[in-house]
Amino acid sequence: MSNNTQTEQLTQAGRQIEHDSFAIVDREAGSHAYSDGQWQIVRRMIHATADFEFNGLTAFSDNAVEAGIQAILNGAPIVADVEMICVGLSQPRLKHFGIRSHQFIADDDVIEAAKQINSTRAVQAMRKARRLGLLDDGIVAVGNAPTALLEVVRMIDEEVVKPALIVGLPVGFVSAAESKEALSRLQDVPWIITRGRKGGSTLVVAALHALLSLAESRQKSG
C-alpha cells in the first residue's frame, strides 16, 4: 500500500478498491520491459481503460519519467489540447504541487484565428500557449488532436520551444499515429506516447495522475 496521502483516493474504501485494481492489473498483465516508474504510468493507463494492449504500446523517451517528476515538483503548468483533460485532472492533487492546468481550444480569439487561415483550433490553441509563455518548461498534454501535437513538434524544431515533458496520446484515424511517431523522433524533449491509433484524454489524465503520485513519493523520500 502506498504511503502517499495527497495523490490517493480520499476514503479508505476508495483506496482499497484502487489498490485491489492495481494488483489485478499486475497479476494479469504478465511480463513487461518497463522500469518501475514507467510501469506505474502504464499500469494506471490500463486501470483507466481495462485495455492490456497498453502494456507494449506505451513508449517513453529515456528520461521521461524523471523529467515529469521534476516538472511536477517545480510546479510546471500543464497545457492541454482539450478541456476534457483539465476537467479530469484532480484539482486537489494539482494544488498540492502549485500546478495550474490550461486549455484554450474554445477561446474566441483561437476560433477566429483558425477560421482566418483555415487552420484548426488545436493548432491556434498551442500557438496561444506559446505566446503566453506556458510551453517552455511546461508539461504539454495532448489526448485528442494530432494537429496540436504536430504543431508543438514544429515549434520545437523551428522556434526552439522546449517543454519539460510532452504526454502525446492523441487518438484517431487521421495523423494520430503519425504525430506520435514525429514526437518520438525528438531527441531533446522528453516524451510519452502510445504507438498507433489508440490514445485519448482518459489516458493522458491517467498518465499525469501516475506522475503526480510518483512526485509525492519523491517528496516523502526527501
Side-chain angles (χ1 to χ4, degrees), residues 96-172:
H96 173 72
F97 294 100
I99 293 174
R100 290 188 60 193
S101 60
H102 307 264
Q103 59 83 26
F104 306 106
I105 193 77
D107 287 7
D108 289 341
D109 57 336
V110 166
I111 296 170
E112 186 58 32
K115 287 180 177 177
Q116 286 183 357
I117 63 171
N118 192 27
S119 178
T120 69
R121 291 184 296 147
V123 166
Q124 298 304 320
M126 287 300 162
R127 290 180 183 177
K128 182 172 182 176
R130 163 71 159 143
R131 292 195 298 274
L132 294 174
L134 294 170
L135 293 186
D136 283 313
D137 298 321
I139 297 173
V140 176
V142 177
N144 184 75
T147 56
L149 187 54
L150 287 169
E151 178 62 11
V152 173
V153 170
R154 185 198 67 77
M155 286 191 282
I156 291 168
D157 285 339
E158 299 179 9
E159 301 179 15
V160 202
V161 172
K162 193 167 185 179
L165 173 70
I166 302 176
V167 182
L169 310 176
V171 62

